[in-house]
Amino acid sequence: MVKTLGVILVLLFLGLFAGIIWKATHKAPPPPVADVVMDLGIDPAAVRHMELDGNTLALTTDKDIVVIDVAERVRNLKTGVKKA
């Protein structure tokens, strides 16, 4: 009885190690990255500066500052900048 339990225990450990090795060597391919296109109504040539902080992207253009939440894909703020 004790030998049978010992054999079962050894087989379970071998199965556990085999599963760990199989998982480590057979990684799933990463999902494809989806291209996100947002129409912000901004001329791409007018963009002067971009700054990313976490999930917030700030675009500085010739006339505006646009703040975008990248995770939610929402434009949070668009302000006009006075020209000097």
Side-chain angles (χ1 to χ4, degrees), residues 7 9 12 17 20 50 53 63 72:
V7 169
L9 185 64
L12 287 173
F17 290 134
I20 291 171
M50 293 189 296
D53 182 26
K63 299 177 184 178
E72 300 292 326

Side-chain angles (χ1 to χ4, degrees), residues 5-76:
L5 290 175
V7 169
I8 291 173
L9 185 64
V10 168
L11 289 175
L12 287 173
F13 278 125
L14 288 175
L16 177 68
F17 290 134
I20 291 171
I21 291 171
W22 185 84
K23 284 273 231 182
T25 58
H26 292 85
K27 298 206 183 250
V33 177
D35 292 336
V36 177
V37 178
M38 293 179 63
D39 184 20
L40 300 173
I42 299 173
D43 180 23
V47 176
R48 297 293 172 230
H49 182 74
M50 293 189 296
E51 187 170 335
L52 183 64
D53 182 26
N55 287 332
T56 304
L57 174 67
L59 299 173
T60 304
T61 65
D62 293 335
K63 299 177 184 178
D64 298 320
I65 296 175
V66 181
V67 179
I68 302 165
D69 186 353
V70 179
E72 300 292 326
R73 299 179 186 148
V74 177
R75 183 175 69 189
N76 289 338

